[in-house]
Amino acid sequence: MTAEPSVLDNTVDMLQILDDNELEAIQSVAEAFISNSSVSRPYRPLSEDELLARIDHSIDQIEQGAYQDSESFENELVMEFGL
């Protein structure tokens, strides 16, 4: 049994067919994305106070009934995207 190619292997395979101009364009976009501080990064490091504030906010939402159970959310995704 052979292992599935990794994401890195698949990415390298795709990049190998591009010419220098296309590779430079991809590099520019990647550099801008990585260095742009205005890009939303939902998983940025949080301070303890920020984390506790998010937890408190989540608890408030749950207490107000503003949540959806995962099974119903999954069913919506299946219906919407045909997964």
Side-chain angles (χ1 to χ4, degrees):
M1 177 184 254
T2 59
E4 291 290 319
S6 69
V7 172
L8 177 60
D9 291 333
N10 287 333
T11 303
V12 169
D13 287 345
M14 287 187 290
L15 292 173
Q16 287 177 334
I17 64 171
L18 301 176
D19 65 34
D20 283 346
N21 289 334
E22 293 167 322
L23 290 170
E24 286 174 12
I26 290 172
Q27 184 176 357
S28 305
V29 170
E31 286 173 347
F33 178 78
I34 291 168
S35 65
N36 186 351
S37 61
S38 68
V39 172
S40 175
R41 294 188 178 126
Y43 302 111
R44 68 177 175 77
L46 300 175
S47 70
E48 181 178 354
D49 288 340
E50 289 173 316
L51 179 59
L52 292 174
R54 283 191 176 194
I55 291 170
D56 287 342
H57 178 72
S58 295
I59 290 170
D60 290 343
Q61 287 180 315
I62 292 167
E63 289 172 350
Q64 295 169 14
Y67 69 93
Q68 182 177 14
D69 68 82
S70 60
E71 189 172 315
S72 118
F73 178 72
E74 180 182 355
N75 289 337
E76 282 185 23
L77 289 177
V78 168
M79 295 297 292
E80 185 173 345
F81 298 105
L83 302 174

